Amino acid sequence: PSASQPRAFPQPSPPLHLCTLQTLLLYAMFGFDPVKVKANLKMAIQRFKLHKNKLVNMVKRDKKVIADLLANGKEGLARIKVEGVIRSDMHIEAFELLELYCELVMARAEMIARDKTIPSDALEAVCTLIFAAPMAECEELMEVRKQFGKKYGKEFVEDVAKNLTHVNDRVVHKLSIEAPPLPLVIGYLKSIASDHKVDWAPSDEDDALIADGVGGTSNVIQGDPPDMPQGTVWPPVRANEDMPAMPAMPPMPGPPPTQPSGPFAPFQDPAPFFPPQGFSGQGPEFPEAPGRPAGAAAQGEPQEQGDVPDFDELTKRFENLKKRKP
């Protein structure tokens, strides 16, 4: 090269950390980013701990208020307040479960990014986090849900949120907004009154309703509610004793069966045959065939076993065969 032209040098390859940065940028723009998922899950765990501490302090304060209401005879307000305490306790338990699921997904983040399908041991954790993200008041969990939507598609996320596919039943129950049943409310009031040394007992009407299974929500409680097996229906269905029993309805007649036509039509029995009057069932009598002389055999009929022809007869047969023209 001339003195006026600069000397050309080979371009060095980009350093490894720049390649990794480019890969992370592509992940963040177009696909599932395991690094971002792990970072958001760590922040979600910290947020859940803050929520738990806040709810624990609020529950302690509300229990004192409920005890004062019971002591002052304001039982109606106490019942309304105690429903909020029950819901806060359920949210605390739900946050503890979500923390465990966050840690499990963090441990499986690389495997989730590598495989096309969700690992079997992380399927329930992924689906539960997708379901709980809108109700947990956690922005980081919503970002994790968006990452799962990039990985598995929006249809999968919508199916999990709508049909509760592979979602933990306990989390569904703890995050529900349904009113607690009457026995649980009375149990909380008894416990609060006992802890704060308040002389309070449920009324006879409440005891009768609890004994009869009346009062409270009539939904199927999912998960493991206190002192109730999974799938318990509260309250149990009671038959009205004053109402007469409804008669059983007869089954509705269905359409007549249609017979297929064509070559695959089933065989149908012909009409029954009725013999004419005076028919005895015996056919006409025919004369017997003329007899055959004893010892004679019909032409072409094989002889009986044991009648071997003699030598002369065999010789005649052999001569007759020779005389035949080919």
Side-chain angles (χ1 to χ4, degrees), residues 15-302:
L16 183 61
H17 69 276
L18 291 181
C19 296
T20 306
L21 181 60
Q22 293 176 358
T23 305
L24 294 178
L25 290 176
L26 291 176
Y27 269 135
M29 294 174 61
F30 303 106
F32 180 79
D33 186 2
V35 178
K36 190 173 184 179
V37 169
K38 293 173 70 173
N40 281 279
L41 288 174
K42 288 181 180 179
M43 290 187 290
I45 292 175
Q46 298 299 324
R47 186 177 292 271
F48 288 148
K49 291 181 179 179
L50 293 176
H51 280 328
K52 285 194 306 180
N53 294 334
K54 180 180 177 180
L55 289 176
V56 168
N57 295 330
M58 187 174 63
V59 165
K60 291 180 179 178
R61 184 179 67 250
D62 290 344
K63 285 184 177 181
K64 294 180 180 179
V65 174
I66 293 171
D68 294 337
L69 292 174
L70 292 177
N72 297 328
K74 299 179 180 180
E75 184 176 338
L77 293 177
R79 293 196 179 197
I80 297 175
K81 275 282 187 180
V82 82
E83 290 186 4
V85 172
I86 294 173
R87 190 171 293 110
S88 298
D89 283 345
M90 289 185 175
H91 283 185
I92 292 173
E93 296 179 15
F95 291 154
E96 292 176 354
L97 293 173
L98 292 177
E99 286 182 17
L100 296 177
Y101 284 137
C102 288
E103 293 178 358
L104 177 59
V105 174
M106 285 174 54
R108 300 289 188 271
E110 303 297 337
M111 188 182 302
I112 291 173
R114 183 179 65 250
D115 298 342
K116 293 183 179 180
T117 58
I118 305 177
S120 58
D121 58 343
L123 178 60
E124 184 176 353
V126 171
C127 295
T128 303
L129 292 180
I130 290 174
F131 165 78
M135 294 178 290
E137 301 178 1
C138 183
E139 298 178 0
E140 293 81 7
L141 205 59
M142 288 296 298
E143 183 60 34
V144 173
R145 174 173 172 160
K146 292 180 182 179
Q147 292 294 322
F148 286 139
K150 293 180 180 180
K151 175 68 176 179
Y152 304 111
K154 294 182 179 179
E155 294 80 5
F156 171 75
V157 174
E158 293 176 357
D159 178 69
V160 170
K162 182 178 180 180
N163 301 324
L164 308 181
T165 308
H166 302 290
V167 179
N168 188 296
D169 293 337
R170 289 176 59 86
V171 176
V172 175
H173 171 63
K174 302 302 180 183
L175 294 179
S176 64
I177 58 175
E178 298 173 352
L182 178 61
L184 189 58
V185 173
I186 297 300
Y188 262 77
L189 291 176
K190 286 182 178 180
S191 176
I192 293 172
S194 176
D195 293 341
H196 293 81
K197 304 297 189 294
V198 176
D199 186 12
W200 179 87
S203 62
D204 296 338
E205 183 180 359
D206 291 336
D207 293 337
L209 291 176
I210 295 174
D212 294 342
V214 178
T217 57
S218 59
N219 60 307
V220 178
I221 298 175
Q222 300 177 351
D224 297 325
D227 302 330
M228 292 186 183
Q230 184 174 2
T232 303
V233 179
W234 184 263
V237 180
R238 297 183 63 201
N240 194 345
E241 300 171 355
D242 300 332
M243 182 181 296
M246 296 295 293
M249 296 298 292
M252 297 297 293
T258 57
Q259 296 292 344
S261 58
F264 299 102
F267 174 77
Q268 298 181 356
D269 296 335
F273 172 74
F274 297 98
Q277 187 176 3
F279 179 73
S280 61
Q282 298 180 357
E285 297 181 359
F286 296 96
E288 296 181 359
R292 182 181 300 169
Q299 186 177 1
E301 183 178 351

